[in-house]
Amino acid sequence: MESDIMQIKVERVPQTRIQEVDFENIPFGKEFADHMFVADYENGVWGDFKIQPYGKMMFFPAMLGLHYGQTIFEGMKAYRNDSGEVMMFRPEDNFKRLNVSAGRMCMPTIPVELMMEALKELLKIDAAWVPESKESALYIRPFMFATDEFLGVKPSNKYRCVIFTGPVGPYYTTPLRVVVEENFTRAAKGGTGSAKAGGNYGGSLYPTRLAQEKGYHQILWTDSIEHKYIEESGTMNVMFQIGDTLVTPPTGDTILKGITRDSVLTLAADLGMKVEERRISIDEIAAAYQKGELKDAFGVGTAATIAPIEVIGYNGNDMLLPSMDARALSKKIAEELRAIRYGEVADKFGWMVSMN
Ligand code: COI
């Protein structure tokens, strides 16, 4: 069977696996929907578009992407709204960012319209996998990797782009304990920190394990030069409420241009809150804490949504953030974002995109 939109060959599963999923209790990242979209790049063009059963792929051991890190990815979500419709949250922004990452990693871009068509087709086929529960969503993982069989260090001539999806619950299930990192670095100026490149995440695993051995969930990353200015936390952008102002570090080549980050800043400003995108030092955070002005801290990301931080470890001490009940500002933003995503209020920023 062929899709008439962009000649996607469609091979459906003989039997869905959906009945194996406990939709009342979905963990993050363990369930995968029946189908995936696959495209291959060769001789300078993307082609061979397929939607096929989610499953194993065969590669040669010399495949470049496995060796030198030409792998990039995105994370986005689709929600089932109150009318039962499946709506994607800002998908074009994610596909645009995939292309920014591709540029940085010397990989080919892939047209946003092509990815949108592919995703809509995929979602139509797997629409039943979009959870009903308002604690859950369908996570969408587009990614691209180098597929040349070659051992020299050079940009690959061939690439594969895949989109698979899966129902997810929350990524973080408890408020987070984070610790300021003053030794290891996530991203350096001129590096790949603002690209969603696999290696950025690989490099964070060891320092994160050390932090976890000390009783924290995640790291609060600081700049690579002075280890003084806050950058991101774990897999998320990070925000603080100091007094009545929402403060977040500016994006640049060490900080990911988060789409949830942008949405939260837009909503906060729209709700009349004071918002500042500026460098923020850990000493400023510690001083605000001492004066009782550090009212809130939270991570923002697709997987994490809005993840409250309850403890910030710094210099051998733990700063204890106010209780969840006292966090009116971030709760209000989270509630507003949730209501837009599930179609409970008007989508005045035009963020939700129908799969039709
Ligand atoms: C996302 O928030 O979608 C991310 O990319 C984080 C991921 C590493 C789980």
Side-chain angles (χ1 to χ4, degrees), residues 131-265:
E132 309 249 322
S133 148
K134 292 195 176 171
E135 304 306 313
S136 313
L138 188 81
Y139 188 82
I140 299 164
R141 171 53 61 88
F143 68 113
M144 191 198 294
F145 53 98
T147 52
D148 256 359
E149 198 192 354
F150 183 67
L151 271 187
V153 180
K154 68 156 189 78
S156 181
N157 289 318
K158 297 183 195 159
Y159 295 86
R160 176 162 286 186
C161 184
V162 179
I163 309 176
F164 66 80
T165 72
V168 295
Y171 190 82
Y172 296 111
T173 48
T174 55
L176 299 174
R177 299 170 54 83
V178 302
V179 62
V180 175
E181 180 59 64
E182 295 183 273
N183 180 28
F184 293 99
T185 292
R186 191 196 83 90
K189 202 163 164 33
T192 59
S194 64
K196 224 160 159 55
N200 293 338
Y201 295 78
S204 73
L205 298 177
Y206 177 65
T208 304
R209 176 184 286 172
L210 296 182
Q212 287 169 351
E213 284 169 2
K214 291 189 204 129
Y216 297 95
H217 298 104
Q218 281 295 345
I219 283 173
L220 191 52
W221 295 104
T222 51
D223 69 282
S224 63
I225 298 168
E226 296 176 86
H227 288 295
K228 181 173 168 186
Y229 294 98
I230 307 293
E231 301 228 309
E232 293 187 15
S233 181
T235 60
M236 313 168 287
N237 293 111
V238 66
M239 300 192 176
F240 302 91
Q241 184 189 344
I242 300 179
D244 60 359
T245 305
L246 187 66
V247 188
T248 193
T251 58
D253 61 0
T254 60
I255 298 181
L256 188 79
K257 223 166 169 190
I259 291 155
T260 311
R261 173 188 180 280
D262 178 74
S263 310
V264 166
L265 293 179

Side-chain angles (χ1 to χ4, degrees), residues 17-28 30-32 128-129 131-133 135-137 166-170:
R17 291 175 282 100
I18 201 164
Q19 73 288 346
E20 293 166 19
V21 180
D22 175 6
F23 276 87
E24 297 306 307
N25 181 22
I26 317 174
F28 183 90
K30 289 195 175 161
E31 306 289 356
F32 304 104
W129 288 81
E132 309 249 322
S133 148
E135 304 306 313
S136 313
V168 295

